[in-house]
Amino acid sequence: MTKTPENKIIVAIDGYSSSGKSTMAKELAAKIGYRYIDSGAMYRAVTLFAMEHEMIGSDGSVDVAALSEAVNRIKIDFILTPQGQHTLLDSIDVEHRIRSLEVSSHVSPVAAIHAVRKALTARQQHFGTQKGIVMDGRDIGTTVFPNAEMKVFVTASPETRAQRRFKELTENGTPAKYEDVLANVIERDRIDETRAESPLRKAPDAEVLDNSCMTHAEQSAWLLDMYHKALTKADERNY
Ligand code: DC
């Protein structure tokens, strides 16, 4: 039987926006020496590209044909900087810009486009060919890596998540109103859960983590424990 390369596995962390999954995923990856991939950043980068190329109208409508045609040519990379992992769009560091409320408010319709999902899913799967990755998103455990050895579905109340996003924006110096952030969180949940393709959904074999009332330390310990269990299970399967 084939052995998992260097006993590494794929960790898929899905969940609602601002549920804290990126922080958790990033920390876990650093602890276990895996590569971290933020799939949401890829959808955000494509959205910024569409905004910059006038493919999003003033009413928020997306030029689906133009973006579908362009998406395979968009270059998205990740680099490690002293401030953490940054996203590059066509070789330009856009980490700060892809987190703006403007990108957040256009990203869900962009992420619902078939050609965009197809292109980004293929790139995400490519990152996992050697295993040893932690990827977070909405459909990692269901569509991108349905056979991932470890799957977590993270959730928290919309108010808790809006508070977190609001804090993040204000700390970054981005002006925002809490009510707008909450409305954006609720609207993105609705679009992400109801879109036809790869809707946000818990994989049947994912473990749920509701972190509304958990401390940071409790979440980290829970996740690391799950990782060790998943690794042991994968090793047993491989022998
Ligand atoms: O995790 P995030 O808020 O940065 O994600 C941005 C958007 O991208 C979110 O509204 C849904 C979409 N997304 C997706 O559809 N599939 C993924 N795997 C990751 C993100």
Side-chain angles (χ1 to χ4, degrees):
M1 209 177 276
T2 34
K3 209 166 172 313
T4 311
E6 298 170 38
N7 288 339
K8 289 188 169 173
I9 62 170
I10 291 181
V11 179
I13 303 189
D14 289 305
Y16 288 91
S17 65
S18 304
S19 58
K21 60 188 184 318
S22 301
T23 310
M24 290 169 51
K26 232 177 273 175
E27 279 182 13
L28 178 69
K31 266 189 216 157
I32 62 180
Y34 279 21
R35 181 161 191 207
Y36 165 65
I37 303 290
D38 176 355
S39 69
M42 299 170 78
Y43 287 96
R44 287 172 178 273
V46 170
T47 304
L48 182 62
F49 174 93
M51 284 162 57
E52 286 180 337
H53 290 78
E54 286 155 22
M55 293 177 187
I56 299 187
S58 51
D59 60 351
S61 61
V62 185
D63 185 340
V64 176
L67 187 54
S68 301
E69 196 271 322
V71 70
N72 281 309
R73 293 195 304 273
I74 305 175
K75 209 165 153 263
I76 302 170
D77 300 296
F78 294 105
I79 50 154
L80 211 54
T81 75
Q83 290 78 41
Q85 186 165 289
H86 279 203
T87 310
L88 303 186
L89 169 61
D90 291 327
S91 307
I92 294 167
D93 188 336
V94 291
E95 188 57 34
H96 188 66
R97 283 155 69 208
I98 60 168
R99 309 288 163 194
S100 68
L101 203 50
E102 204 188 350
V103 169
S104 298
S105 65
H106 293 304
V107 65
S108 286
V110 168
I113 298 170
H114 171 75
V116 171
R117 298 212 73 83
K118 194 166 165 233
L120 295 192
T121 298
R123 292 184 198 195
Q124 290 153 8
Q125 286 170 336
H126 186 72
F127 282 122
T129 43
Q130 291 303 308
K131 304 220 174 200
I133 60 159
V134 179
M135 190 176 291
D136 74 345
R138 302 293 188 286
D139 63 338
I140 310 306
T142 52
T143 305
V144 181
F145 296 118
N147 297 322
E149 291 86 351
M150 172 171 163
K151 296 184 187 178
V152 180
F153 189 82
V154 193
T155 183
S157 71
E159 290 76 15
T160 305
R161 291 182 286 124
Q163 273 299 350
R164 289 180 188 151
R165 185 68 115 193
F166 177 70
K167 191 166 169 274
E168 200 177 279
L169 286 167
T170 44
E171 279 172 4
N172 281 344
T174 311
K177 282 210 312 225
Y178 169 76
E179 291 71 28
D180 293 345
V181 177
L182 178 62
N184 177 255
V185 162
I186 293 171
E187 179 60 3
R188 280 206 290 150
D189 286 356
R190 190 190 65 75
I191 301 178
D192 292 347
E193 284 177 319
T194 57
R195 70 175 171 232
E197 198 167 334
S198 298
L200 169 62
R201 175 175 307 147
K202 180 186 112 46
D205 51 348
E207 293 279 340
V208 176
L209 173 68
D210 182 336
N211 62 15
S212 304
C213 302
M214 276 172 100
T215 65
H216 187 96
E218 283 167 347
Q219 290 176 57
S220 303
W222 185 93
L223 208 60
L224 196 59
D225 182 50
M226 254 211 81
Y227 166 72
H228 287 306
K229 285 182 183 146
L231 191 64
T232 307
K233 210 164 146 196
D235 278 347
E236 284 166 2
R237 264 206 308 266
N238 286 339
Y239 281 106

